[in-house]
Amino acid sequence: MNSDQLSDQRLQEALKTAYLRGKEVTGKGAVATYIPELGKARPEAVGLCITTKDGKVYKAGDSNIRFTMQSVSKLLSLAMALEIRGYDTVFEHVGMEPSGVAFNSIVELDTRTKPHNPLINAGAIAVESLLIEYKQFEDMLNFARTVCLDPEITLNRQVYNSEMATCDRNRAIAYLLKSKNVIHTNVDTSIELYTKICSINVSAESLANFAMVLANGGVNPLNGERLLKESTAQTVKAIMFTCGMYDGSGTFAVEVGIPTKSGVGGGLLSVVDGKMGIGVYGPSLDENGNSIAGITALKYLSKELGLHMFA
Ligand code: GLU
C-alpha cells in the first residue's frame, strides 16, 4: 500500500485510535528513573506523528512535547559516522548483530573484541569516538536539525547534567572499550559527547521527519535535497530492523514489522520504507526499555494500515 492510497481521513482516524490504544496501556509500564531528570516525565503522556512523502503531517496527543532522544540518537551517530568515516571503518569497530542482552550490559562486552551493534550503548560510544577528531557536538546538533527538518532542536542541559552525574556504567563501558583498543579517545571526552547526543531535545514530529527522510532513501521528499547517501539510509534501516528495540527487537520485527529505534526518554522512530515516517512519544517504558504505548500504537497502525514490511 502506498501512502498516497491512504486517504487523509483513514490515516487520521487510524492515528487517533492508535493514540487511544497506547494511552490505555501507559499504566502497565514505568518512566525511566535511573537518569533522575527523566523521572519527571508524565507517564500517561502519548504523542504520535506521521509525516508522508507528499508533505502531509498527521498528529495525535502530545506530539509537540519536547523530550530527549536518548538512544534514538544512536541513529544520528551511526548515520554521521557512515557518511564521514565510511562503512568499513565503522564496522571494524562495531558489529551488526543483535545483542540479546540489555542496552547497557557490560558482562557480554568483556567476552568480545567489539560491541555487538551500533544501537546499544557500547556500540554508540565506539561509533561516536570515531567522530571525535572530525566533528564537534555543535556539528552533531546541526546534523540533527538537518535530518529531522527541525531547526529548533537544542541540547537539554538539565537532562545532560542529570545523566553526567549518574553515568558510571557508561564510563565503565568506555574504559572497557579503551582497554580493548576499540576506542582510542579520552574516555571523558567520549562520554561527554555520547551523553550530549542522548540529551538532544526533539518532538514526535522531529522523529517522524527523520524517519521519512530514511524512508525516502536519504532524500528530503519535500524539496528533493539529498541529506544522506542512499547506502547510509539502507544500512541504518537494516540495523534498526534487527537491533532497534533492544531485547524486544525480534518480537517487534515479527509482530509490527516496521524498522524502529527506541530511547529511554520514550521516543520511537519508525520507518515505513518508501512511504512515511512515524514518530512517537510515550515515556512509560516496558521491561526492555521501549515505550509501552508506542509499541501498542505501532502494532495497531501496522495491522490497520498494512504497514508490516512483509505484509
Ligand atoms: N542515555 C541513555 C543511557 O546511556 C540512553 C539509553 C537508552 O535510551 O536506551 O543509558
Side-chain angles (χ1 to χ4, degrees):
M1 169 148 358
N2 184 314
S3 71
D4 309 339
Q5 296 168 299
L6 290 168
S7 71
D8 277 355
Q9 197 190 351
R10 182 146 175 243
L11 259 174
Q12 193 58 63
E13 271 168 15
L15 199 62
K16 173 105 189 285
T17 308
Y19 162 75
L20 293 172
R21 298 258 173 115
K23 195 96 182 156
E24 273 169 20
V25 298
T26 54
K28 295 188 179 154
V31 299
T33 51
Y34 74 99
I35 299 172
E37 197 64 24
L38 294 184
K40 296 183 181 167
R42 276 192 306 121
E44 65 282 6
V46 180
L48 299 174
C49 179
I50 291 180
T51 53
T52 64
K53 279 170 44 178
D54 49 0
K56 294 202 173 124
V57 181
Y58 304 86
K59 293 180 180 183
D62 304 303
S63 58
N64 292 328
I65 285 192
R66 293 267 160 187
F67 58 94
T68 50
M69 270 185 130
Q70 299 303 332
S71 279
V72 183
S73 69
K74 293 175 168 97
L75 303 178
L76 286 177
S77 314
L78 174 60
M80 197 175 209
L82 287 167
E83 296 277 306
I84 289 168
R85 301 297 309 264
Y87 183 94
D88 292 342
T89 303
V90 168
F91 291 108
E92 267 160 33
H93 293 82
V94 69
M96 48 177 89
E97 300 301 338
S99 70
V101 289
F103 64 91
N104 55 5
S105 172
I106 295 181
V107 178
E108 272 286 299
L109 182 60
D110 198 24
T111 63
R112 304 172 57 82
T113 53
K114 58 188 179 186
H116 280 94
N117 68 67
L119 302 188
I120 54 172
N121 290 13
I125 293 167
V127 165
E128 285 158 16
S129 299
L130 291 173
L131 290 169
I132 281 173
E133 272 172 55
Y134 298 76
K135 295 286 166 186
Q136 313 269 317
F137 172 66
E138 274 304 313
D139 299 313
M140 294 296 301
L141 201 53
N142 283 327
F143 182 68
R145 290 173 180 142
T146 303
V147 295
C148 294
L149 317 182
D150 180 359
E152 278 160 35
I153 285 177
T154 52
L155 170 69
N156 183 326
R157 284 242 160 234
Q158 283 95 325
V159 172
Y160 170 68
N161 290 335
S162 181
E163 183 164 2
M164 282 303 283
T166 52
C167 65
D168 295 328
R169 179 170 277 270
N170 286 338
R171 269 182 210 284
I173 289 174
Y175 277 112
L176 193 53
L177 290 174
K178 190 154 183 178
S179 76
K180 289 173 164 288
N181 284 319
V182 177
I183 68 172
H184 303 281
T185 46
N186 175 287
V187 163
D188 288 332
T189 313
S190 290
I191 288 298
E192 276 162 30
L193 181 66
Y194 168 80
T195 311
K196 274 192 179 155
I197 296 173
C198 285
S199 306
I200 288 177
N201 244 354
V202 290
S203 65
E205 185 168 359
S206 341
L207 298 186
N209 283 339
F210 183 15
M212 177 184 66
V213 169
L214 289 168
N216 199 37
V219 172
N220 174 358
L222 309 181
N223 62 8
E225 190 185 350
R226 178 162 288 288
L227 303 178
L228 299 169
K229 289 180 202 145
E230 192 165 5
S231 59
T232 296
Q234 183 176 311
T235 303
V236 169
K237 288 182 282 194
I239 294 189
M240 284 170 73
F241 200 51
T242 53
C243 311
M245 300 294 277
Y246 294 126
D247 224 5
S249 298
T251 308
F252 189 84
V254 172
E255 293 187 354
V256 183
I258 305 174
T260 296
K261 178 72 199 99
S262 62
V264 292
L268 291 176
L269 180 156
S270 302
V271 178
V272 184
D273 205 31
K275 294 168 189 152
M276 62 181 82
I278 307 176
V280 178
Y281 173 57
S284 181
L285 308 178
D286 68 9
E287 67 283 2
N288 292 316
N290 298 321
S291 171
I292 197 159
I295 290 183
T296 303
L298 287 168
K299 211 180 265 184
Y300 173 79
L301 287 173
S302 173
K303 279 227 163 65
E304 180 63 21
L305 302 176
L307 304 181
H308 193 296
M309 246 174 98
F310 305 113

